[in-house]
Amino acid sequence: MSELLHRYAHARAGDKGDRLSLAVFVYQEAHYSWLIEQLSASSVAALFEHRGVSHVTRYLLPHLNGMNLVLDDALQGGVNGALNLDGHGKTLSALLLSMKVAPPPT
């Protein structure tokens, strides 16, 4: 059985050139270790594979119960180079939050 990540966390997106930054924070502190298990760099890279992501770096933020995911080559050239409607990648946090995850332990 799987759930969607948005049920347990919220996220915010930012950009620098062709690099996307996704900050993810769990709603409940008890779910932080679960988040670390669910969002590996490889699972996030697989989710964004269709966008041409070449590398994902994960930075853990234990005092904030979250993490920052940095995705290289995710914005199809960035704000000035992309022809898509969301050159900043702001809507891509919604894509991450739609990721299927295992429910956290109770």
Side-chain angles (χ1 to χ4, degrees):
M1 181 167 151
S2 63
E3 302 267 0
L4 298 180
L5 180 60
H6 76 82
R7 192 164 173 191
Y8 305 101
H10 59 96
R12 180 146 173 98
D15 69 292
K16 287 292 181 222
D18 200 11
R19 183 172 283 161
L20 174 66
S21 177
L22 293 169
V24 185
F25 304 93
V26 290
Y27 294 123
Q28 297 180 26
E29 184 177 349
H31 292 157
Y32 179 62
S33 59
W34 167 85
L35 179 72
I36 294 170
E37 292 172 9
Q38 298 300 307
L39 291 184
S40 66
S42 59
S43 68
V44 173
L47 181 66
F48 286 89
E49 181 180 26
H50 69 283
R51 296 200 52 98
V53 170
S54 63
H55 184 75
V56 175
T57 305
R58 184 175 78 156
Y59 299 96
L60 301 180
L61 306 167
H63 296 293
L64 299 174
N65 299 311
M67 64 177 67
N68 188 34
L69 301 158
V70 179
L71 291 72
D72 293 332
D73 305 311
L75 297 175
Q76 301 168 335
V79 175
N80 294 326
L83 298 176
N84 64 45
L85 295 175
D86 185 17
H88 291 281
K90 295 299 184 186
T91 61
L92 294 176
S93 60
L95 175 59
L96 180 66
L97 293 173
S98 71
M99 184 176 182
K100 290 183 179 181
V101 294
T106 55

